Amino acid sequence: MNGYNFAYLDEQTKRMIRRGLLKAVAIPGYQVPFGGREMPMPYGWGTGGMQLTASILGEDDVLKVIDQGADDTTNAVSIRAFFERVAGVETTTATAEADVIQTRHRIPETPLSADQILVFQVPIPEPLRFIEPSEEETRVMHALEEYGVMHVKLYEDIARHGHIATTYAYPVKVDGRYVTDPSPIPKFDNPKLHMSEALMLFGAGREKRLYAIPPHTRVESLDFEDHPFEIQAWDEPCALCGARDSFLDEVITDDVGGRMFVCSDTDYCQRRQEEVA
Amino acid sequence: MRWQGFSDPVQDGQRHFRRVLAAMAEPGTLHDAAATAVPEDAAIGPALWATLLSLCDLDTRLWIAPGLEAGGLADAVTFHTGCRKVATPDGADFALVTPATLVDPAPVFAEGSDAYPDRSTTLLVVLDALAEGGPWRLTGPGIPDTRGLDVGEATALMTRLAANRARFPQGLDAILGCGDCLAAIPRSTRLAGPVSATPEEDRTCTSQ
Amino acid sequence: MYVAVKGGEQAIANAHRWLADRRRGDRERDALSVAQLAEQMNLAVDRVMAEASLYDPELAALALKQASGDLVEAVFLLRAYRTTLPRLAETVALDTGAMRLERRVSATYKDVPGGQVLGPTYDYTHRLLDFLQLADGEVPEPARAEQALEACPPILEQLDAEGLIERETDDGAEPYDITRDPPDFPVDRATRLQMLARGDEGYLLALGYSTQRGYGRNHPFAGEIRIGTLEVEIAVEECEAPVCIGEIALSECQMINQFAGSRDRAPQFTRGYGLAFGRNERKTMAMALVDRALRAEELGEPVQGPAQQPEFVLAHADSVEASGFVSHLKLPHYVDFQSELELLRRLRSAHGQPDGAEDSRETVDDGGKKKEPAVEQDTNESEQVSP
């Protein structure tokens, strides 16, 4: 694209982000402040993830972009088209063929491998934000490893509902130290963060924070002995591919209450259907 | 100028960064970085030279330990990256050192604070030897089970890095270079040495 | 048979074409030129430049045209362009006392050296629609003075021999740069002013107004408002004197506020400060009110109103950030919504059952506390902002 650098960002901005990423990897789960730049897409639409992707992407990389697990949702299409245009990289919808995967709200069902990098778009990187709105305060809480309030919040859920009523963006503890927001993935995906083969990078553009979970890192979802962490389950399999191990989206099929459940990961579903056929 | 820059700054810089990122994400793994030649009388090898080229710029402060300027390194870094050189390491983003630099009394580096642990110096360490499977045992993030590393005669360095755990999240991250070869030991790594340097494993981590 | 929705690419391309058509409107009419907008929509252009932090009337007018007059969108366009520009040099600090004035008023001193100058203001226009402008009426030339106004030093510096008004002194510190580094709270005043200067005018106006209505009242007087143009200079190595690289229009507001004094400081008038690119008088007045309100803690005043809370005010002032995050709610949230659906069904089924007869998927039964009505649960869930 004329007038812009490879992958849109100028080299100085990339270097600033790259230095931040190295610190993020060295301090797993800690939110590194970075000089987030405006991107030619609105804040909240993945600008943090895009800045990280732009900073790590090379001309030989194959890129996959998903939103809600799907390659064909409009924002995924738009971000993929952006990188095709500004970096000229090859793109794919196949999880296994991608070097870099940018995602919003899901971790692919197909297990990731070493050498792959998963880049998360993060809206609110601070897991304590809904308990304590002040950045000054939450920074101190992280510094002192003072996470009692988070447990109180979760326990209040239990007292009120009999359950921990957090279903997505479910907080985790990384390598036994930092309480971290896994981005708004469903808690169904939380176990995939633990001892992952792939490096996972998180970018929050508007909030100007980036953080990382290296491969082979302990990631525990916060819970209680008498209320252990559990993931969502469905009574029926995917209506298209029959999968019983994937996160299912509910699809309304008529106006009299008819509905079906299908995989949210379109690539996974497609591949399973092809295998069956 | 005998020190060469990247022939393609955008793509070479990206490729080398990915090596450093992979090294940092999987501590103790070796990465080949033969990208850019250095003068014969240089004290540092191509791996660390490429690291300087890919990470330093106008916004970066570099400290070079005495003895490592051989071959006109200091001027070359300024020429190629524009980074600022600082007289004391505690104000440096990157510090180019050897294990001997870290022998007591070692200079003071920035280790960040508990609130901003990222505001710390990254060590770029010039090593005489670097190989997988050595006497130093690495565990922690990025390491399935445990990984061995041979860094040659570098006890002062490894003792210093082993002390990181006691002060976590403050600490020093190290990028190790030996000729064309690159590895890293971030502060998250627990180190167990062959003899004296015992790692500080005093963190008992619970989610309470 | 269910077919997943596909074809995002085509849909996006079609949306862009339709948008271009809507922007152009009736092809029978003349298209607006960017030059026309820069000239005749100059206040809109000035607002876009101020909030985008980029002084370029032509590009701001282009952004305005491209955004069909949507100011927030235009600010975003120009800001996104700004971020791609290299930083070539830093200017010498501007001295607004050297401004070539076109307007200068003070509400605190009846007569000021150099005089009060109304300039081209809407202030005393009667807000009657001017139907003549429906037709293309001729506009007479303005009356011109024989001589240009002399540069006048700021009124507050000139008229306060008694020292009743606090002095602003340069402490020589290198200011933080919010366009390069993220603000880390608490931030100093220079950082705050930068954030306010690019803050959304409507937001600052409402916050400033709230202080006047009692939410952090600080008894403001408009000490001086000045609008005019100023030369921008950079220092060049080979030259002794700084080199002028152009001229920009600026608006500045110095608010004087009461201060009752504290144990350490005698009672004194304090100041709030507003500065913006272009002719942005309302913005600078609002900014000055908010700046002063944010000094509450520094001055030992009780923090009672939203406008006195720095993190709250500053973290939400940027229209590019705010509109992005509000509008992102349009993006799909199927997965999060599905997660909530699943939970809600579970909670509702548990709610209808007698104690102990838990849903089978529940690992551990907490018994007793399941009598909260479903409505309550909804309320609780809504606290979790769906990002």
Side-chain angles (χ1 to χ4, degrees):
Chain A
M1 195 162 72
N2 290 341
Y4 291 100
N5 190 26
F6 173 82
Y8 181 75
L9 292 179
D10 62 281
E11 290 302 303
Q12 199 170 347
T13 300
K14 286 184 193 172
R15 274 191 298 269
M16 176 266 295
I17 293 173
R18 288 168 182 171
R19 291 190 295 261
L21 284 173
L22 294 178
K23 288 294 171 201
V25 168
I27 316 166
Y30 166 72
Q31 302 164 52
V32 180
F34 78 107
R37 303 290 194 248
E38 284 87 2
M39 295 295 281
M41 282 171 185
Y43 280 124
W45 294 51
T47 57
M50 288 170 74
Q51 288 180 77
L52 298 201
T53 298
S55 301
I56 65 174
L57 206 61
E59 56 191 354
D60 303 328
D61 282 322
V62 178
L63 176 70
K64 171 181 164 86
V65 182
I66 49 173
D67 189 336
Q68 314 296 301
D71 298 272
D72 56 3
T73 41
T74 42
N75 202 41
V77 167
S78 168
I79 292 173
R80 187 163 57 239
F82 176 77
F83 282 111
E84 283 170 352
R85 187 170 165 198
V86 300
V89 293
E90 192 185 329
T91 59
T92 183
T93 58
T95 300
E97 287 166 22
D99 298 302
V100 176
I101 302 173
Q102 181 170 328
T103 180
R104 177 168 171 266
H105 294 195
R106 279 307 314 274
I107 297 176
E109 307 290 4
T110 308
L112 301 177
S113 58
D115 300 333
Q116 285 186 311
I117 300 179
L118 187 59
V119 177
F120 292 77
Q121 302 173 199
V122 184
I124 304 276
E126 178 49 71
L128 305 168
R129 186 61 70 237
F130 302 113
I131 304 166
E132 171 51 67
S134 160
E135 164 71 16
E136 263 183 86
E137 297 292 330
T138 52
R139 185 157 289 281
V140 171
M141 290 157 80
H142 283 294
L144 301 178
E145 205 175 347
E146 210 176 79
Y147 294 130
V149 283
M150 180 61 95
H151 285 270
V152 169
K153 153 80 172 74
L154 294 177
Y155 210 84
E156 277 170 1
D157 276 3
I158 294 170
R160 175 179 283 211
H161 307 300
H163 302 257
I164 292 175
T166 299
T167 59
Y168 59 93
Y170 190 105
V172 297
K173 196 163 213 185
V174 178
D175 194 36
R177 175 57 175 82
Y178 281 102
V179 167
T180 302
D181 175 54
S183 90
I185 55 172
K187 63 179 181 177
F188 179 89
D189 284 340
N190 274 25
K192 298 174 187 166
L193 299 165
H194 179 66
M195 293 293 168
S196 159
E197 286 282 322
L199 170 62
M200 293 179 287
L201 305 176
F202 299 76
R206 192 176 36 75
E207 301 282 342
K208 301 178 176 56
R209 296 288 185 274
L210 56 85
Y211 52 103
I213 301 178
H216 311 293
T217 298
R218 261 190 312 139
V219 180
E220 306 150 274
S221 302
L222 300 186
D223 64 357
F224 299 93
E225 253 177 38
D226 54 345
H227 282 86
F229 173 78
E230 54 171 9
I231 62 173
Q232 292 102 334
W234 286 260
D235 293 331
E236 46 195 299
C238 168
L240 298 180
C241 76
R244 289 188 172 277
D245 58 355
S246 76
F247 188 91
L248 302 181
D249 278 341
E250 185 170 335
V251 179
I252 309 291
T253 50
D254 56 35
D255 59 358
V256 291
R259 58 173 187 248
M260 60 192 279
F261 290 88
V262 297
C263 291
S264 103
D265 183 336
T266 48
D267 175 61
Y268 182 73
C269 194
Q270 191 69 39
R271 252 150 250 287
R272 283 183 49 89
Q273 290 177 60
E274 282 163 12
E275 278 166 25
V276 173
Chain B
M1 192 63 59
R2 297 173 308 146
W3 295 80
Q4 310 265 304
F6 287 131
S7 57
D8 180 345
V10 172
Q11 299 300 336
D12 290 346
Q14 182 273 339
R15 267 189 283 272
H16 189 74
F17 165 70
R18 284 282 283 276
R19 286 183 202 119
V20 179
L21 181 66
M24 198 64 100
E26 305 207 43
T29 56
L30 301 192
H31 300 264
D32 183 36
T36 326
V38 297
E40 275 176 19
D41 55 347
I44 70 168
L48 287 183
W49 174 236
T51 304
L52 288 170
L53 288 176
S54 65
L55 293 177
C56 291
D57 58 26
L58 299 164
D59 295 330
T60 322
R61 290 155 302 175
L62 172 69
W63 182 74
I64 302 175
L68 291 178
E69 295 100 340
L73 172 67
D75 289 341
V77 177
T78 308
F79 177 80
H80 285 288
T81 71
C83 83
R84 288 173 287 164
K85 287 184 296 297
V86 290
T88 53
D90 60 346
D93 301 302
F94 293 97
L96 196 59
V97 300
T98 65
T101 314
L102 300 164
V103 172
D104 267 346
V108 175
F109 301 95
E111 298 195 27
S113 61
D114 284 342
Y116 291 98
D118 55 306
R119 295 178 181 175
S120 59
T121 306
T122 300
L123 302 180
L124 307 178
V125 190
V126 184
L127 292 178
D128 296 329
L130 185 57
E132 280 173 345
W136 293 92
R137 312 303 300 169
L138 281 59
T139 55
I143 305 164
D145 197 21
T146 163
R147 192 171 279 144
L149 191 66
D150 181 358
V151 291
E153 181 43 52
T155 308
L157 167 74
M158 298 307 262
T159 308
R160 182 65 194 77
L161 295 179
N164 271 334
R165 283 311 300 178
R167 303 196 59 196
F168 194 86
Q170 298 181 42
L172 297 173
D173 310 309
I175 297 170
L176 315 176
C178 174
D180 293 341
C181 191
L182 191 83
I185 303 178
R187 72 190 74 177
S188 61
T189 299
R190 289 85 162 161
L191 278 171
V195 271
S196 58
T198 25
E200 307 246 8
E201 267 295 357
D202 67 337
R203 296 195 69 76
T204 45
C205 306
T206 65
S207 48
Q208 294 306 312
Chain C
M1 175 54 197
Y2 165 72
V3 182
V5 183
K6 299 260 180 198
E9 278 171 69
Q10 195 55 45
I12 290 172
N14 286 341
H16 292 172
R17 253 180 93 172
W18 195 354
L19 177 69
D21 174 76
R22 177 61 54 83
R23 172 166 52 224
R24 176 60 182 87
D26 185 351
R27 308 290 200 281
E28 295 291 300
R29 305 204 181 282
D30 293 340
L32 277 171
S33 75
V34 168
Q36 280 176 322
L37 286 170
E39 287 286 327
Q40 296 171 40
M41 288 286 143
N42 52 69
L43 292 180
V45 165
D46 284 0
R47 179 168 171 187
V48 170
M49 292 195 301
E51 294 180 24
S53 314
L54 181 68
Y55 198 95
D56 190 323
E58 187 187 24
L59 293 184
L62 171 62
L64 201 58
K65 177 178 176 177
Q66 191 177 329
S68 303
D70 179 339
L71 291 179
V72 172
E73 182 71 23
V75 168
F76 179 21
L77 281 167
L78 198 60
R79 188 84 74 77
Y81 174 72
R82 179 197 189 284
T83 199
T84 66
L85 298 175
R87 176 165 309 205
L88 302 175
E90 283 175 14
T91 69
V92 177
L94 298 179
D95 171 14
T96 53
M99 197 183 260
R100 279 205 309 171
L101 294 171
E102 63 174 46
R103 171 166 168 78
R104 179 207 200 206
V105 293
S106 170
T108 50
Y109 297 98
K110 188 168 181 183
D111 200 10
V112 291
Q116 307 238 18
V117 182
L118 278 184
T121 176
Y122 278 88
D123 280 355
Y124 302 101
T125 61
H126 296 151
R127 270 60 168 200
L128 305 170
L129 278 176
D130 178 5
F131 295 107
L132 287 178
Q133 293 197 33
L134 281 174
D136 294 326
E138 285 293 312
V139 178
E141 288 293 315
R144 289 188 193 280
E146 299 277 306
Q147 280 186 317
L149 277 172
E150 300 264 319
C152 306
I155 292 173
L156 305 195
E157 312 297 336
Q158 247 181 331
L159 295 188
D160 182 38
E162 287 172 86
L164 294 180
I165 305 174
E166 71 172 334
R167 293 269 152 183
E168 306 280 19
T169 45
D170 184 357
D171 63 3
E174 177 95 352
Y176 197 84
D177 183 346
I178 62 159
T179 67
R180 317 246 288 186
D181 298 303
D184 52 48
F185 291 105
V187 297
D188 64 11
R189 190 167 175 210
T191 308
R192 229 159 55 197
L193 288 170
Q194 289 176 53
M195 297 175 83
L196 294 176
R198 56 158 50 181
D200 180 74
E201 178 176 325
Y203 173 82
L204 296 180
L205 183 65
L207 279 174
Y209 176 46
S210 75
T211 67
Q212 292 179 281
R213 290 196 64 259
Y215 291 87
R217 193 166 155 78
N218 52 36
H219 309 276
F221 299 96
E224 180 176 8
I225 293 163
R226 56 167 63 203
I227 298 177
T229 55
L230 198 55
E231 289 187 347
V232 177
E233 298 173 326
I234 57 170
V236 179
E237 248 175 55
E238 299 85 58
C239 307
E240 238 168 69
V243 176
C244 172
I245 55 166
E247 193 179 63
I248 62 173
L250 280 177
S251 305
E252 182 187 53
C253 173
Q254 299 257 14
M255 213 57 97
I256 306 176
N257 306 68
Q258 210 178 70
F259 172 58
S262 65
R263 195 184 309 170
D264 314 326
R265 294 172 68 161
Q268 194 181 31
F269 285 118
T270 53
R271 299 201 213 182
Y273 186 71
L275 183 76
F277 282 154
R279 288 144 186 104
N280 268 300
E281 182 169 304
R282 191 191 301 116
K283 157 76 171 272
T284 54
M285 291 182 74
M287 176 176 166
L289 289 175
V290 175
D291 170 46
R292 175 59 183 78
L294 290 175
R295 299 182 60 198
E297 200 181 319
E298 167 203 337
L299 296 170
E301 296 168 340
V303 174
Q304 294 163 324
Q308 295 170 308
Q309 298 173 25
E311 255 203 74
F312 175 82
V313 170
L314 299 172
H316 304 118
D318 189 287
S319 73
V320 179
E321 291 174 2
S323 75
F325 201 45
V326 168
S327 70
H328 108 287
L329 293 172
K330 291 180 278 190
L331 293 179
H333 284 76
Y334 317 137
V335 167
D336 304 341
F337 187 67
Q338 183 61 43
S339 300
E340 296 290 83
L341 270 181
E342 195 258 2
L343 174 74
L344 195 59
R345 288 201 181 106
R346 215 139 50 103
L347 291 173
R348 286 174 65 93
S349 94
H351 180 67
Q353 289 175 21
D355 282 4
E358 255 294 359
D359 179 274
S360 58
R361 271 198 304 274
E362 184 56 10
T363 315
V364 177
D365 181 2
D366 179 43
K369 299 227 176 171
K370 290 189 288 295
K371 304 219 164 157
E372 300 286 334
V375 180
E376 275 287 315
Q377 292 153 3
D378 272 339
T379 314
N380 188 46
E381 281 311 296
S382 68
E383 283 166 14
Q384 172 131 26
V385 173
S386 164

